[in-house]
Amino acid sequence: MTILEARHLAKSYQDSDRRIEVLKDANLLVNKGDLICITGKSGCGKSTLLHMLGLLDNPDQGKVLIEGKEVSSSSKEAPQIRNRDLGFVFQFHYLVEDLTAVENVALPLLIAGHSKSTSLAKAAELLSGFGLEERLNHYSNQLSGGEQQRVSLARALINKPKVVLADEPTGNLDPEKSAEIWETILRLNRELEQAFVVITHDREQARLASITYELEHGVLSPVNP
Ligand SMILES: Nc1ncnc2c1ncn2[C@@H]1O[C@H](COP(=O)(O)OP(=O)(O)O)[C@@H](O)[C@H]1O
Ligand SMILES: [Mg+2]
């Protein structure tokens, strides 16, 4: 089953006196259970692509379909789809600093309309499964980089999204912490068939994916294993 599809995405930016064509004709299919890695040189448009896939920005041309239905980032259903069907992890954790770890993870459930007690209980359970049972009530500045990123991953997963979109989720971590996050991603993919699209410029990590694409000259091409 196709969860997420990008068709013929094109996007350019105006940079003072010239236009940079970042995406030219990017196409992608994400099916249930896929672990897709996207690599590419710095500045090639990986984050731009992820923003389009995540309905955070609109392409100039082309479309994004969620379960076969075209959705625009500016449509009125986009916020609900982002919260319910998509999970996001970024290189920098973007946790809400005034909230504790468990409150951050509970946030997507609260937004979806669940009660506070249910949301906090589910968040605590998920965080405990990630080895953070001792850190539930810590604020992000009291957590290590690896812990912050595990909290971000839990927040991305709490609503059981159809796909998690991750933009260099381990880019800011040392190799040991990076390996921990990767092991968690691989386990969730294997055990729960959780679909992921992960941007990474680490070729070794990309080798672990079921499908790897390289973004170059605005086009995604499969990388031979
Ligand atoms: N909002 C923007 N305005 C102008 N240029 C942008 C904007 N966002 C990204 N760019 C440019 O588009 C190119 C691709 O950026 P990005 O998608 O962040 O690349 P990557 O994530 O692969 O490093 C870069 O040259 C970047 O400077
Ligand atoms: Mg980027």
Side-chain angles (χ1 to χ4, degrees):
M1 186 176 70
T2 299
I3 299 167
L4 177 63
E5 184 176 356
R7 282 192 199 154
H8 306 300
L9 296 185
K11 180 79 175 177
S12 60
Y13 293 113
Q14 188 69 38
D15 183 27
S16 58
D17 54 346
R18 66 188 189 108
R19 259 196 114 63
I20 332 172
E21 266 191 274
V22 180
L23 302 177
K24 288 181 186 161
D25 186 8
N27 293 281
L28 183 70
L29 273 181
V30 185
N31 292 317
K32 188 169 166 56
D34 278 350
L35 170 52
I36 292 177
C37 273
I38 296 178
T39 65
K41 295 200 177 80
S42 180
C44 73
K46 302 180 296 298
S47 295
T48 301
L49 173 67
L50 206 83
H51 293 159
M52 311 281 134
L53 296 176
L55 310 176
L56 296 168
D57 194 5
N58 268 332
D60 299 334
Q61 283 171 52
K63 49 185 154 182
V64 172
L65 299 94
I66 311 258
E67 289 187 330
K69 185 172 175 285
E70 183 178 352
V71 192
S72 148
S73 72
S74 46
S75 66
K76 64 176 192 315
E77 72 265 29
Q80 195 197 5
I81 292 173
R82 279 195 294 265
N83 185 55
R84 187 191 57 200
D85 298 335
L86 306 174
F88 294 91
V89 185
F90 298 96
Q91 181 173 353
F92 301 99
H93 55 79
Y94 293 127
L95 296 172
V96 181
E97 300 207 340
D98 295 338
L99 298 180
T100 61
V102 71
E103 288 167 346
N104 266 283
V105 176
L107 207 52
L109 288 171
L110 291 166
I111 291 169
H114 295 273
S115 74
K116 193 171 175 189
S117 57
T118 305
S119 303
L120 288 171
K122 284 190 172 176
E125 191 188 333
L126 185 58
L127 282 170
S128 300
F130 282 9
L132 290 169
E133 60 278 6
E134 308 284 314
R135 294 284 181 275
L136 301 181
N137 298 315
H138 287 55
Y139 292 90
S140 61
N141 65 4
Q142 300 170 318
L143 300 170
S144 71
E147 288 169 343
Q148 289 168 347
Q149 216 44 333
R150 273 186 281 159
V151 175
S152 306
L153 193 55
R155 181 181 55 183
L157 290 160
I158 191 80
N159 265 338
K160 299 188 170 39
K162 297 193 167 92
V163 57
V164 173
L165 304 172
D167 193 352
E168 306 206 29
T170 62
N172 205 27
L173 300 178
D174 63 42
E176 191 190 330
K177 298 289 177 240
S178 168
E180 264 176 39
I181 295 286
W182 265 98
E183 275 159 28
T184 307
I185 290 174
L186 290 167
R187 178 172 59 81
L188 293 162
N189 176 251
R190 200 173 50 235
E191 292 175 5
L192 306 175
E193 290 195 300
Q194 175 66 55
F196 285 90
V197 177
V198 183
I199 288 177
T200 174
H201 53 237
D202 187 327
R203 282 298 185 101
E204 284 301 312
Q205 291 176 342
R207 255 190 260 279
L208 302 169
S210 36
I211 314 166
T212 301
Y213 293 92
E214 172 147 21
L215 179 61
E216 193 178 28
H217 308 308
V219 178
L220 281 171
S221 321
V223 176
N224 293 327

